[in-house]
Amino acid sequence: MRRADDNKQAVKISNPKSLEFQECRRYLLPGVLKTLRENRNVRLPLRLFEVGDVVRLEENSSIGAVNERRLCAVHCGTSAAFEVVKALLDHVMLMLGVEPGDGNSKSTFRLDSEGCRDDAFFPGRRADIIVGGVNVGVIGWLHPEVLANFSLTSPCSAVEMLVEPFLDKTA
């Protein structure tokens, strides 16, 4: 995935049933890309999404880890079509009551292309999603090396973001 890994980020499973499931997933994107790989012979464009939980280490948790709900969407076609995933992000944010703005309050978001360091995405074509001054996700063109790692030959754009900050915990 071209993401830095110091071997201290993933939650390890002590008694895995197979080598593929030795660690809890940290991101949804690899799973969506695996699904794309298995459907790469379907007519383009392909648009996939997943909403699900990932696990991250958390020292303050009683078990040392916490689940986070995330949303991931990928568009794969004859062009990367960033505008498709950007329109999806805009619509999701609109439905959550979050408007484009400076990203300093919980009611506004902005894209920060200068601060984004997620190497799964193409440099200069990626941005962090900032809400309330906090990075809640990433959007952009997937790096060609990432696509090649999943045997994908068509350009893709993706967005992956936390959903937890927007959930009403009292409902």
Side-chain angles (χ1 to χ4, degrees):
M1 285 296 303
R2 291 182 43 93
R3 288 180 167 147
D5 185 7
D6 59 5
N7 247 354
K8 296 178 185 173
Q9 302 297 314
V11 175
K12 309 276 191 228
I13 298 174
S14 61
N15 188 17
K17 298 296 180 200
S18 74
L19 292 177
E20 186 176 357
F21 300 107
Q22 295 180 76
E23 299 177 344
C24 294
R25 65 184 182 171
R26 294 174 42 209
Y27 302 98
L28 297 178
L29 185 58
V32 174
L33 292 177
K34 284 179 185 178
T35 302
L36 261 178
R37 178 186 63 213
E38 298 307 315
N39 290 280
R40 65 183 171 265
N41 295 325
V42 175
R43 201 173 114 218
L44 297 176
L46 282 171
R47 296 178 184 134
L48 297 174
F49 77 95
E50 179 181 358
V51 176
D53 287 350
V54 299
V55 181
R56 72 171 169 81
L57 294 173
E58 175 62 55
E59 290 181 13
N60 297 332
S61 168
S62 61
I63 59 170
V66 294
N67 284 12
E68 292 180 327
R69 181 76 33 96
R70 288 180 168 251
L71 164 106
C72 180
V74 176
H75 175 276
C76 185
T78 55
S79 70
F82 173 78
E83 66 276 6
V84 173
V85 292
K86 173 63 166 76
L88 174 65
L89 174 64
D90 288 343
H91 187 72
V92 167
M93 291 301 203
L94 178 68
M95 294 295 101
L96 293 170
V98 182
E99 298 179 358
D102 61 12
N104 291 328
S105 72
K106 291 186 177 187
S107 62
T108 64
F109 79 97
R110 69 179 168 85
L111 299 181
D112 177 14
S113 59
E114 307 230 346
C116 186
R117 301 286 177 256
D118 191 330
D119 288 331
F121 294 84
F122 199 79
R125 300 285 187 254
R126 62 188 180 195
D128 289 331
I129 305 164
I130 309 297
V131 176
V134 176
N135 181 350
V136 297
V138 63
I139 186 170
W141 291 4
L142 290 173
H143 195 282
E145 191 176 304
V146 171
L147 296 175
N149 289 341
F150 287 90
S151 304
L152 299 171
T153 56
S154 299
C156 299
S157 288
V159 59
E160 183 164 350
M161 62 180 276
L162 290 169
V163 176
E164 294 284 333
F166 308 103
L167 297 178
D168 182 6
K169 307 272 195 239
T170 62

